[in-house]
Amino acid sequence: MNFTVTVQPSGRQFEVARDEVMLPAAIRQGIGLPYGCKDGACGSCKSRLLEGRVIHGAHQLKALSAEEEAAGLILSCCATPQTDCVVESRQVTAADQFPVLKMPTRVISITRAADDVAVLRLQLPANQPFQYHAGQYVDFLLRDGARRSYSMATAPSLAQGAIELHIRHMPGGRFTDHVFGAMKEKEILRMEGPFGSFWLREDSARPVVLLASGTGFAPIKALIEQMEVKGLTRPAVLYWGARRAADLYLRDWAEAAAARLPWLRFVPVLSEPDADWSGRTGLVHQAVMADLPDLSGHQVYACGAPVMVQSAQRDFVAACGLPEEEFFADAFTSEADKVAGA
Ligand SMILES: Cc1cc2nc3c(=O)[nH]c(=O)nc-3n(C[C@H](O)[C@H](O)[C@H](O)COP(=O)(O)OP(=O)(O)OC[C@H]3O[C@@H](n4cnc5c(N)ncnc54)[C@H](O)[C@@H]3O)c2cc1C
């Protein structure tokens, strides 16, 4: 028996099988619910249950406090309906919704952009057109059913049959230990995508703050390329935070883009600056707040470490007047974050 979920205020409906989690059913049926990590850690899919009953996977609730749950909030990525439900949620629909595909992909090249950052280029299958929006991500499907997510670093129109990913090594990590160890060119991986609701809202004329920490730069690079390809000229400023200068692994790319594009500025920010660093220092989201104390007219795209994304969302809204609905983010949650949350 299926349950029907109605999304308000749009009124769109979708079916959820018994024991099925809400979000995967919505993705499969092309319902544009907002989401990020799909694992209960980032909170992007938080919505309000107006009618009906759901149960949450108890171990996955980092992004939902007991108070929020008591107040009727749910995380659609780990909520399993027990009845028909009515949910209040923003709808996020891009001009085109692309189908989620499972496909094999072959490693074309693995290069080091920094000691702990690999640039992975992957061949897309010729017989299965893979379409995505700049800012979206793919999941690698590991043998035991685990998944690992990585954001495309190239605008789709520049991809030419291949995608580029920027992968930071997390020592002890299942997938990245392999990328930095035994992975070879021509290896076949299984992947699924595209996923995510982190893409450029092209219907807005608001100036844009692009905020990245570490490899959170990958989807931000794709957004900048997309703006250039589309001929958009909305003012945009890229704040890229890292510990040391060497961690800004494509700093030349960012500087060249800012020199070439009159609408783009680039502000690198180091939290543990090298002795010869004369640029900005401190926490990257605080550099934004120092430069732009009034964000009420802006749109913000933030990507990278969960703590950076959460701090930026909280502080930009509370202290700088950013409207909540103008903040878009993907938090790069890992197993360590999920364990910390549980
Ligand atoms: C939407 C999204 C997009 C992402 N995009 C990118 C991207 O473009 N680039 C990128 O670099 N990353 C990205 N990530 C993060 C990425 O998906 C992985 O989480 C990350 O690469 C680590 O994977 P792993 O398998 O190597 O490590 P994991 O196996 O997940 O382990 C991560 C760390 O936690 C530790 N750990 C593992 N299990 C435990 C445990 N039980 N207790 C305590 N510690 C533990 C490990 O030792 C390791 O240090 C993204 C994440 C999301 C959600």
Side-chain angles (χ1 to χ4, degrees):
M1 186 181 110
N2 288 354
F3 295 121
T4 302
V5 178
T6 307
V7 185
Q8 297 293 17
S10 70
R12 291 198 69 185
Q13 292 189 319
F14 61 100
E15 298 293 306
V16 182
R18 184 173 283 280
D19 297 331
E20 188 179 16
V21 172
M22 205 180 264
L23 181 67
I27 293 174
R28 203 177 53 243
Q29 291 164 68
I31 306 291
L33 294 183
Y35 68 96
C37 69
K38 303 197 275 15
D39 258 322
C42 77
S44 298
C45 67
K46 203 175 284 179
S47 41
R48 186 174 295 280
L49 186 66
L50 300 176
E51 286 172 32
R53 199 163 64 81
V54 301
I55 50 172
H56 281 113
H59 60 292
Q60 295 168 313
L61 288 178
K62 182 181 182 202
L64 194 68
S65 66
E67 294 75 33
E68 287 177 315
E69 199 175 359
L73 294 180
I74 62 168
L75 298 180
S76 67
C77 74
C78 39
T80 306
Q82 304 298 297
T83 62
D84 290 343
C85 291
V86 180
V87 172
E88 183 183 59
S89 171
R90 264 187 310 145
Q91 290 272 140
V92 287
T93 23
D96 304 292
Q97 294 268 36
F98 297 129
V100 173
L101 304 174
K102 269 193 189 140
M103 71 197 93
T105 177
R106 185 188 296 270
V107 176
I108 302 172
S109 61
I110 321 165
T111 49
R112 289 287 172 94
D115 284 353
D116 63 349
V117 178
V119 174
L120 201 60
R121 283 183 53 76
L122 300 169
Q123 183 82 50
L124 296 169
N127 59 350
Q128 224 179 352
F130 174 70
Q131 294 172 286
Y132 64 94
H133 292 287
Q136 289 193 295
Y137 67 91
V138 288
D139 277 355
F140 289 116
L141 310 177
L142 309 188
R143 285 216 174 84
D144 64 354
R147 291 167 173 261
R148 293 293 184 269
S149 310
Y150 297 93
S151 309
M152 269 71 77
T154 325
S157 57
L158 304 178
Q160 297 183 322
I163 56 171
E164 176 184 308
L165 308 175
H166 299 169
I167 300 188
R168 186 167 77 83
H169 189 198
M170 296 190 77
R174 262 203 35 221
F175 186 70
T176 61
D177 269 2
H178 176 64
V179 173
F180 283 78
M183 181 176 274
K184 295 273 182 305
E185 290 175 5
K186 299 197 175 139
E187 180 173 324
I188 303 287
L189 301 166
R190 279 200 66 71
M191 81 180 189
E192 184 175 23
F195 289 116
S197 50
F198 182 73
W199 60 69
L200 190 71
R201 273 49 183 181
E202 291 182 25
D203 55 354
S204 169
R206 285 170 169 257
V208 173
V209 173
L210 302 165
L211 179 60
S213 72
T215 45
F217 176 69
I220 299 284
K221 170 175 174 282
L223 293 188
I224 293 170
E225 289 180 347
Q226 177 75 359
M227 291 177 78
E228 184 174 12
V229 166
K230 288 260 179 148
L232 305 181
T233 54
R234 284 162 74 181
V237 52
L238 162 63
Y239 286 83
W240 187 7
R243 276 182 306 137
R244 300 157 303 134
D247 299 327
L248 299 168
Y249 57 88
L250 283 183
R251 185 171 156 198
D252 289 354
W253 186 96
E255 284 173 349
R260 185 174 70 248
L261 304 168
W263 44 266
L264 180 69
R265 281 196 307 118
F266 171 42
V267 183
V269 183
L270 298 186
S271 59
E272 294 171 24
D274 317 75
D276 59 352
W277 177 254
S278 56
R280 302 291 292 275
T281 58
L283 296 180
V284 64
H285 88 283
Q286 288 178 351
V288 175
M289 295 171 73
D291 294 352
L292 301 167
D294 178 3
L295 286 170
S296 58
H298 282 71
Q299 203 165 59
V300 175
Y301 294 85
C303 219
V307 63
M308 184 282 284
V309 170
Q310 283 154 14
S311 309
Q313 179 166 29
R314 184 193 59 224
D315 295 349
F316 291 179
V317 170
C320 303
L322 179 74
E324 262 180 64
E325 64 279 9
E326 301 294 352
F327 184 86
F328 306 96
D330 261 346
F332 285 4
T333 49
S334 74
E335 288 308 299
D337 299 305
K338 290 174 205 163
V339 171

